[in-house]
Amino acid sequence: PSLINLLSVLFSKNRELLKQRTRHHDYCVLGAGPAGLQMGYFLSKSQRDYIILERNSGPGSFFSIYPRHRKLISINKIYTGRQNREFNLRHDWNSLLSDRPDLLFQRVSQELYPDADSFPIYLSMYVKELGLKVQYGVDIGKIRASESESPRGRGYILVDQHGLDYTCSVLLVSTGMWDPQKVQFEGSDLVEGYESIPLNPEEYKDQAVLILGKGNSAFETAQSILGRASRIHLYSPSPVRLAWQTHYVGDLRAVNNELLDTYQLKSLDGLVEGGLEDIAIVKNGEDERKHSGRKKQRCSSGKKRRGQFYLTLAELLEHPDGKNSTKITAANLPVYHNDNFSLRQPYDRVIRCLGFRFNFSIFDGSARPPSSEVTRGRLPGLTAWYEGQGTPGLFVLGTASHSRDYRSSAGGFIHGFRYTVRAVHRVLEQRYHSNYWPSIKLSVSQLQSWLLRRVNEASGPYQMFGVLGDIILLRGSHCEYLEEFPIQALPQFSSLSGHRVSKHGLLVLILQYGLNPTDSLGPGRAESEWTRAWRSNFLHPVLYYYDTLPSEKDLRHRPAGWPLPRPKAVHHMVEDFLTEWDGPISHSQPLRRFLEHCLHTDLRAFYAESCFRFSLTNRKPPLFCRQGYLRKHGVVGNSHLWQHAREAGLMPSEQEYASPDVDPSFPDYLTRAGASVSSAINVDF
């Protein structure tokens, strides 16, 4: 008995110690970057049990190091001529979402392209003023799925550097991409990395520099040394892609592309295409002796000279026995075989600027999301609602979630993923707390005005074009309006949102670019005639009408380049130079006719006099009159006049309001919201 008692005491103490070393939360957010803090705001607002774990001593530590040359390329446009906060977020690429209208990035910087040091300052302010729960100094080294099933499904266990366990039912990974992308080839150990190169331009004075890569980090590096290096060559498999041509913000931005001038104007710099896996970087000692005179001349400036490097092909280094040569000869270099080889001259430095990849190493087999084929393994593979494929309850947020819209939208950047994070939170609220996706109930007579309001001011569909869309569930005389739903998840709409699609079908509103390639700066690049709106090349609203919810099969077999399956009817609103879709003829009238076609309803707006005449001459006046004028909206007079009109049979009785065509549940919501009831609006958004 004494032994049993002793074991019982030891077991109890061990259980207490285990409890002390384990901390549980419903939601664990890994990483206090912009995506993690954005999710923290939504979880805090909904009063959920959560913790944000950050390994560094402050938020946004990535921006304390990168970009290396300290200039952000995210637009911070403060002056738009508008006072509408939602509209202004279209041109503010750095602020996070909150209910605080003053909690914007412009409080720390007013530069169009801000200094990178401003961003951690802004994030610290965001954490402090919103009171977010962030625990710093927690370096999670291993993540595994828990063996026991919770009521919400399986959970996750996170182990930090001290051996403490953090358990959670839902894991939200927002670690970003900070692991440098590397390519292994012969001599890759001789290459300097973007993450560690010297930043002082004087270090590159009169040096020939070869940069591997043609993205923004490569051009940013080239631009910083453009006035010091003797020549700069950029080498990668793909030609340079310009953001203003591709409409993809991750491609080369104009703020970094000065080297294109020196290349095209033949001032010693240039771009070359070629594979990375098959190259080799070699150091030729004999060549250094041949050029010793030139080296001495260059060293007279007082700078220590590095060894010179040649780019060659790995196959040229192989002996017949299959072994690589350790001594470089002329035959090992491409110039020996082709005297016009572009990169035949030696380089003083070779720098790798190939971007970053997601860190998969912290996940064990039970919790590791698969790598995405779309991004060649750099990012995790996710569902359309940003849950890891095969890892239920594990969601990926922020830059690392970009595999869902890689090279097609802005989901890898702050001004894009702040909206996808909100969409994920709405999915969580429905799945784990039975809170339906927020919706607005509208009369169909008000739908056109609401759509025009959204296309003219909404920032979510504007930034996440082709990815997030507004869903309009048609219910006869009224509709339910849901904002910013991930359109690739339409087949799972009911389970993710809690809403059902009725027999009347649904509309999907998205913004998208044209599908036809065009010269972005050439003549005829834009379409201005509304009758040819479907040929619009630039960002413009598109409405898709489905009589039934598209299936997974429909989505897989959609036409090439289309964001959605082929609909029952589609309407393109012609692109607008000012991005103001408020023209009565070009925008409003075609939209009304499309809605009338889908709803089989006359959606025209009428003056009170016309409604009065219709009520005298028609058994069923137009919908606008039934839901407006005949419900005392627009009638001038007193209660005696209204009673007289009712007794005369000119107006419906109280009982008739209960008919299906007239829904009495609509208050003056749209009036309070500021929506116009006319068929065309022209107000300052």
PDB file of all heavy atoms in Angstrom, residues 447-467:
ATOM      1  N   LEU A 447     -30.878  46.627 -55.230  1.00  0.00           N
ATOM      2  CA  LEU A 447     -29.665  45.876 -55.513  1.00  0.00           C
ATOM      3  C   LEU A 447     -28.721  46.631 -56.435  1.00  0.00           C
ATOM      4  O   LEU A 447     -27.500  46.647 -56.215  1.00  0.00           O
ATOM      5  CB  LEU A 447     -30.031  44.519 -56.130  1.00  0.00           C
ATOM      6  CG  LEU A 447     -28.856  43.620 -56.534  1.00  0.00           C
ATOM      7  CD1 LEU A 447     -27.945  43.348 -55.341  1.00  0.00           C
ATOM      8  CD2 LEU A 447     -29.364  42.323 -57.137  1.00  0.00           C
ATOM      9  N   GLN A 448     -29.250  47.267 -57.442  1.00  0.00           N
ATOM     10  CA  GLN A 448     -28.384  47.976 -58.388  1.00  0.00           C
ATOM     11  C   GLN A 448     -27.574  49.065 -57.690  1.00  0.00           C
ATOM     12  O   GLN A 448     -26.371  49.203 -57.916  1.00  0.00           O
ATOM     13  CB  GLN A 448     -29.208  48.584 -59.517  1.00  0.00           C
ATOM     14  CG  GLN A 448     -28.358  49.364 -60.508  1.00  0.00           C
ATOM     15  CD  GLN A 448     -29.175  50.055 -61.570  1.00  0.00           C
ATOM     16  OE1 GLN A 448     -30.372  49.815 -61.703  1.00  0.00           O
ATOM     17  NE2 GLN A 448     -28.542  50.923 -62.338  1.00  0.00           N
ATOM     18  N   SER A 449     -28.235  49.827 -56.833  1.00  0.00           N
ATOM     19  CA  SER A 449     -27.529  50.892 -56.122  1.00  0.00           C
ATOM     20  C   SER A 449     -26.441  50.325 -55.223  1.00  0.00           C
ATOM     21  O   SER A 449     -25.354  50.900 -55.102  1.00  0.00           O
ATOM     22  CB  SER A 449     -28.519  51.710 -55.289  1.00  0.00           C
ATOM     23  OG  SER A 449     -29.422  52.391 -56.115  1.00  0.00           O
ATOM     24  N   TRP A 450     -26.736  49.189 -54.583  1.00  0.00           N
ATOM     25  CA  TRP A 450     -25.736  48.599 -53.696  1.00  0.00           C
ATOM     26  C   TRP A 450     -24.548  48.070 -54.491  1.00  0.00           C
ATOM     27  O   TRP A 450     -23.390  48.216 -54.078  1.00  0.00           O
ATOM     28  CB  TRP A 450     -26.370  47.483 -52.873  1.00  0.00           C
ATOM     29  CG  TRP A 450     -25.570  47.144 -51.664  1.00  0.00           C
ATOM     30  CD1 TRP A 450     -24.698  46.119 -51.521  1.00  0.00           C
ATOM     31  CD2 TRP A 450     -25.538  47.867 -50.435  1.00  0.00           C
ATOM     32  NE1 TRP A 450     -24.124  46.144 -50.276  1.00  0.00           N
ATOM     33  CE2 TRP A 450     -24.628  47.214 -49.585  1.00  0.00           C
ATOM     34  CE3 TRP A 450     -26.206  49.001 -49.972  1.00  0.00           C
ATOM     35  CZ2 TRP A 450     -24.352  47.652 -48.297  1.00  0.00           C
ATOM     36  CZ3 TRP A 450     -25.934  49.441 -48.678  1.00  0.00           C
ATOM     37  CH2 TRP A 450     -25.022  48.768 -47.858  1.00  0.00           C
ATOM     38  N   LEU A 451     -24.819  47.466 -55.642  1.00  0.00           N
ATOM     39  CA  LEU A 451     -23.729  46.985 -56.490  1.00  0.00           C
ATOM     40  C   LEU A 451     -22.852  48.138 -56.964  1.00  0.00           C
ATOM     41  O   LEU A 451     -21.614  48.033 -56.962  1.00  0.00           O
ATOM     42  CB  LEU A 451     -24.300  46.231 -57.697  1.00  0.00           C
ATOM     43  CG  LEU A 451     -24.887  44.844 -57.426  1.00  0.00           C
ATOM     44  CD1 LEU A 451     -25.635  44.335 -58.650  1.00  0.00           C
ATOM     45  CD2 LEU A 451     -23.791  43.862 -57.030  1.00  0.00           C
ATOM     46  N   LEU A 452     -23.484  49.239 -57.371  1.00  0.00           N
ATOM     47  CA  LEU A 452     -22.708  50.396 -57.820  1.00  0.00           C
ATOM     48  C   LEU A 452     -21.873  50.973 -56.688  1.00  0.00           C
ATOM     49  O   LEU A 452     -20.745  51.427 -56.890  1.00  0.00           O
ATOM     50  CB  LEU A 452     -23.642  51.468 -58.384  1.00  0.00           C
ATOM     51  CG  LEU A 452     -24.278  51.125 -59.733  1.00  0.00           C
ATOM     52  CD1 LEU A 452     -25.351  52.135 -60.095  1.00  0.00           C
ATOM     53  CD2 LEU A 452     -23.215  51.075 -60.829  1.00  0.00           C
ATOM     54  N   ARG A 453     -22.426  50.944 -55.508  1.00  0.00           N
ATOM     55  CA  ARG A 453     -21.666  51.418 -54.353  1.00  0.00           C
ATOM     56  C   ARG A 453     -20.436  50.541 -54.120  1.00  0.00           C
ATOM     57  O   ARG A 453     -19.335  51.050 -53.869  1.00  0.00           O
ATOM     58  CB  ARG A 453     -22.571  51.406 -53.115  1.00  0.00           C
ATOM     59  CG  ARG A 453     -21.931  52.007 -51.856  1.00  0.00           C
ATOM     60  CD  ARG A 453     -22.907  51.933 -50.697  1.00  0.00           C
ATOM     61  NE  ARG A 453     -22.350  52.525 -49.493  1.00  0.00           N
ATOM     62  CZ  ARG A 453     -22.424  53.810 -49.180  1.00  0.00           C
ATOM     63  NH1 ARG A 453     -23.037  54.650 -49.998  1.00  0.00           N
ATOM     64  NH2 ARG A 453     -21.884  54.264 -48.062  1.00  0.00           N
ATOM     65  N   ARG A 454     -20.602  49.248 -54.216  1.00  0.00           N
ATOM     66  CA  ARG A 454     -19.488  48.330 -53.972  1.00  0.00           C
ATOM     67  C   ARG A 454     -18.400  48.461 -55.040  1.00  0.00           C
ATOM     68  O   ARG A 454     -17.219  48.500 -54.717  1.00  0.00           O
ATOM     69  CB  ARG A 454     -19.997  46.897 -53.923  1.00  0.00           C
ATOM     70  CG  ARG A 454     -20.794  46.552 -52.683  1.00  0.00           C
ATOM     71  CD  ARG A 454     -19.922  46.476 -51.459  1.00  0.00           C
ATOM     72  NE  ARG A 454     -18.995  45.353 -51.496  1.00  0.00           N
ATOM     73  CZ  ARG A 454     -18.003  45.173 -50.629  1.00  0.00           C
ATOM     74  NH1 ARG A 454     -17.797  46.066 -49.675  1.00  0.00           N
ATOM     75  NH2 ARG A 454     -17.196  44.121 -50.724  1.00  0.00           N
ATOM     76  N   VAL A 455     -18.779  48.513 -56.308  1.00  0.00           N
ATOM     77  CA  VAL A 455     -17.749  48.575 -57.349  1.00  0.00           C
ATOM     78  C   VAL A 455     -17.012  49.907 -57.318  1.00  0.00           C
ATOM     79  O   VAL A 455     -15.881  50.007 -57.810  1.00  0.00           O
ATOM     80  CB  VAL A 455     -18.341  48.329 -58.752  1.00  0.00           C
ATOM     81  CG1 VAL A 455     -19.012  46.977 -58.823  1.00  0.00           C
ATOM     82  CG2 VAL A 455     -19.307  49.434 -59.168  1.00  0.00           C
ATOM     83  N   ASN A 456     -17.602  50.926 -56.726  1.00  0.00           N
ATOM     84  CA  ASN A 456     -16.963  52.237 -56.696  1.00  0.00           C
ATOM     85  C   ASN A 456     -16.156  52.507 -55.431  1.00  0.00           C
ATOM     86  O   ASN A 456     -15.385  53.464 -55.404  1.00  0.00           O
ATOM     87  CB  ASN A 456     -18.012  53.338 -56.872  1.00  0.00           C
ATOM     88  CG  ASN A 456     -18.391  53.537 -58.315  1.00  0.00           C
ATOM     89  OD1 ASN A 456     -17.626  54.048 -59.114  1.00  0.00           O
ATOM     90  ND2 ASN A 456     -19.593  53.102 -58.674  1.00  0.00           N
ATOM     91  N   GLU A 457     -16.324  51.687 -54.387  1.00  0.00           N
ATOM     92  CA  GLU A 457     -15.572  51.988 -53.177  1.00  0.00           C
ATOM     93  C   GLU A 457     -14.936  50.776 -52.499  1.00  0.00           C
ATOM     94  O   GLU A 457     -13.953  50.928 -51.783  1.00  0.00           O
ATOM     95  CB  GLU A 457     -16.454  52.705 -52.151  1.00  0.00           C
ATOM     96  CG  GLU A 457     -17.488  51.836 -51.485  1.00  0.00           C
ATOM     97  CD  GLU A 457     -18.232  52.586 -50.383  1.00  0.00           C
ATOM     98  OE1 GLU A 457     -18.632  53.728 -50.620  1.00  0.00           O
ATOM     99  OE2 GLU A 457     -18.405  52.011 -49.297  1.00  0.00           O
ATOM    100  N   ALA A 458     -15.440  49.562 -52.698  1.00  0.00           N
ATOM    101  CA  ALA A 458     -14.947  48.399 -51.955  1.00  0.00           C
ATOM    102  C   ALA A 458     -13.473  48.149 -52.252  1.00  0.00           C
ATOM    103  O   ALA A 458     -13.053  48.132 -53.413  1.00  0.00           O
ATOM    104  CB  ALA A 458     -15.771  47.167 -52.303  1.00  0.00           C
ATOM    105  N   SER A 459     -12.689  47.932 -51.202  1.00  0.00           N
ATOM    106  CA  SER A 459     -11.252  47.723 -51.382  1.00  0.00           C
ATOM    107  C   SER A 459     -10.882  46.248 -51.470  1.00  0.00           C
ATOM    108  O   SER A 459      -9.897  45.898 -52.117  1.00  0.00           O
ATOM    109  CB  SER A 459     -10.476  48.390 -50.237  1.00  0.00           C
ATOM    110  OG  SER A 459     -10.875  47.872 -48.982  1.00  0.00           O
ATOM    111  N   GLY A 460     -11.648  45.352 -50.829  1.00  0.00           N
ATOM    112  CA  GLY A 460     -11.315  43.937 -50.845  1.00  0.00           C
ATOM    113  C   GLY A 460     -11.329  43.325 -52.238  1.00  0.00           C
ATOM    114  O   GLY A 460     -10.316  42.775 -52.695  1.00  0.00           O
ATOM    115  N   PRO A 461     -12.444  43.387 -52.974  1.00  0.00           N
ATOM    116  CA  PRO A 461     -12.458  42.843 -54.337  1.00  0.00           C
ATOM    117  C   PRO A 461     -11.536  43.604 -55.281  1.00  0.00           C
ATOM    118  O   PRO A 461     -11.057  43.043 -56.267  1.00  0.00           O
ATOM    119  CB  PRO A 461     -13.937  43.007 -54.759  1.00  0.00           C
ATOM    120  CG  PRO A 461     -14.697  43.126 -53.480  1.00  0.00           C
ATOM    121  CD  PRO A 461     -13.784  43.812 -52.528  1.00  0.00           C
ATOM    122  N   TYR A 462     -11.265  44.865 -54.981  1.00  0.00           N
ATOM    123  CA  TYR A 462     -10.383  45.682 -55.820  1.00  0.00           C
ATOM    124  C   TYR A 462      -8.939  45.189 -55.704  1.00  0.00           C
ATOM    125  O   TYR A 462      -8.229  45.094 -56.704  1.00  0.00           O
ATOM    126  CB  TYR A 462     -10.490  47.140 -55.379  1.00  0.00           C
ATOM    127  CG  TYR A 462      -9.803  48.142 -56.279  1.00  0.00           C
ATOM    128  CD1 TYR A 462     -10.475  48.719 -57.352  1.00  0.00           C
ATOM    129  CD2 TYR A 462      -8.490  48.540 -56.035  1.00  0.00           C
ATOM    130  CE1 TYR A 462      -9.855  49.652 -58.166  1.00  0.00           C
ATOM    131  CE2 TYR A 462      -7.865  49.477 -56.837  1.00  0.00           C
ATOM    132  CZ  TYR A 462      -8.550  50.032 -57.899  1.00  0.00           C
ATOM    133  OH  TYR A 462      -7.923  50.962 -58.702  1.00  0.00           O
ATOM    134  N   GLN A 463      -8.494  44.873 -54.479  1.00  0.00           N
ATOM    135  CA  GLN A 463      -7.126  44.409 -54.287  1.00  0.00           C
ATOM    136  C   GLN A 463      -6.998  42.926 -54.608  1.00  0.00           C
ATOM    137  O   GLN A 463      -6.022  42.499 -55.226  1.00  0.00           O
ATOM    138  CB  GLN A 463      -6.685  44.658 -52.833  1.00  0.00           C
ATOM    139  CG  GLN A 463      -6.778  46.094 -52.367  1.00  0.00           C
ATOM    140  CD  GLN A 463      -5.743  47.007 -53.004  1.00  0.00           C
ATOM    141  OE1 GLN A 463      -5.184  46.682 -54.050  1.00  0.00           O
ATOM    142  NE2 GLN A 463      -5.490  48.143 -52.400  1.00  0.00           N
ATOM    143  N   MET A 464      -7.966  42.131 -54.190  1.00  0.00           N
ATOM    144  CA  MET A 464      -7.924  40.684 -54.425  1.00  0.00           C
ATOM    145  C   MET A 464      -8.790  40.335 -55.633  1.00  0.00           C
ATOM    146  O   MET A 464      -9.685  39.490 -55.572  1.00  0.00           O
ATOM    147  CB  MET A 464      -8.380  39.928 -53.177  1.00  0.00           C
ATOM    148  CG  MET A 464      -7.379  39.982 -52.036  1.00  0.00           C
ATOM    149  SD  MET A 464      -5.757  39.330 -52.496  1.00  0.00           S
ATOM    150  CE  MET A 464      -6.141  37.635 -52.880  1.00  0.00           C
ATOM    151  N   PHE A 465      -8.493  40.993 -56.743  1.00  0.00           N
ATOM    152  CA  PHE A 465      -9.272  40.788 -57.960  1.00  0.00           C
ATOM    153  C   PHE A 465      -9.159  39.328 -58.413  1.00  0.00           C
ATOM    154  O   PHE A 465      -8.115  38.700 -58.332  1.00  0.00           O
ATOM    155  CB  PHE A 465      -8.799  41.740 -59.064  1.00  0.00           C
ATOM    156  CG  PHE A 465      -7.314  41.702 -59.330  1.00  0.00           C
ATOM    157  CD1 PHE A 465      -6.772  40.791 -60.226  1.00  0.00           C
ATOM    158  CD2 PHE A 465      -6.454  42.579 -58.689  1.00  0.00           C
ATOM    159  CE1 PHE A 465      -5.416  40.747 -60.475  1.00  0.00           C
ATOM    160  CE2 PHE A 465      -5.090  42.555 -58.933  1.00  0.00           C
ATOM    161  CZ  PHE A 465      -4.570  41.633 -59.825  1.00  0.00           C
ATOM    162  N   GLY A 466     -10.290  38.796 -58.837  1.00  0.00           N
ATOM    163  CA  GLY A 466     -10.325  37.416 -59.313  1.00  0.00           C
ATOM    164  C   GLY A 466     -10.228  36.374 -58.223  1.00  0.00           C
ATOM    165  O   GLY A 466     -10.218  35.171 -58.516  1.00  0.00           O
ATOM    166  N   VAL A 467     -10.173  36.789 -56.948  1.00  0.00           N
ATOM    167  CA  VAL A 467     -10.031  35.847 -55.840  1.00  0.00           C
ATOM    168  C   VAL A 467     -11.171  36.001 -54.840  1.00  0.00           C
ATOM    169  O   VAL A 467     -11.807  35.026 -54.460  1.00  0.00           O
ATOM    170  CB  VAL A 467      -8.674  36.034 -55.124  1.00  0.00           C
ATOM    171  CG1 VAL A 467      -8.572  35.125 -53.905  1.00  0.00           C
ATOM    172  CG2 VAL A 467      -7.530  35.761 -56.088  1.00  0.00           C
TER     173      VAL A 467
END
